[in-house]
Amino acid sequence: MDESATKVSSKLSDSKRRKAEDQIEKHRKPIEYDTTEYPVEVLITKIDQNEPWKADWYIPNYQRQFIWHEGLQSKFVESVILNIPIPFMFLAQ
């Protein structure tokens, strides 16, 4: 637990903490997921921003805009070429 969470937690009485935990448990929903490894080429062909109606995957307008500068892009490509593990991508169906 980080410092700010510890401060908030210490300010709550035991009964309020239990009530909050019970509320969280009551509203908890199981999430089904699957992990799949795709080669980068597959990901590129599934996301076609030039012709979104042909794409298998759609990126909604509210998704944050592309923010990687050229240095980060270069490091990512280098990681792919050198077969260095890259971070997970989370996709929703």
Side-chain angles (χ1 to χ4, degrees):
M1 194 178 321
D2 68 13
E3 187 177 325
S4 62
T6 304
K7 287 179 183 177
V8 170
S9 178
S10 65
K11 290 180 183 179
L12 290 176
S13 68
D14 285 339
S15 63
K16 285 185 178 181
R17 185 179 303 116
R18 275 193 299 274
K19 186 176 178 180
E21 289 172 352
D22 289 344
Q23 185 178 9
I24 290 169
E25 190 62 36
K26 178 183 172 186
H27 294 287
R28 178 176 286 162
K29 296 178 185 176
I31 298 174
E32 294 182 26
Y33 66 93
D34 186 23
T35 57
T36 306
E37 291 188 28
Y38 290 107
V40 173
E41 295 84 5
V42 171
L43 298 175
I44 291 170
T45 58
K46 288 188 170 290
I47 303 172
D48 187 347
Q49 292 185 3
N50 293 325
E51 299 182 53
W53 58 91
K54 290 184 178 180
D56 291 332
W57 294 341
Y58 172 71
I59 301 173
N61 290 333
Y62 57 81
Q63 180 65 37
R64 76 170 187 195
Q65 298 301 309
F66 187 77
I67 60 170
W68 287 17
H69 58 73
E70 285 188 16
L72 288 175
Q73 294 174 47
S74 176
K75 288 180 181 180
F76 177 76
V77 170
E78 181 181 12
S79 296
V80 171
I81 291 170
L82 295 175
N83 203 25
I84 296 171
I86 56 174
F88 289 105
M89 293 174 59
F90 294 93
L91 307 167
Q93 190 171 26

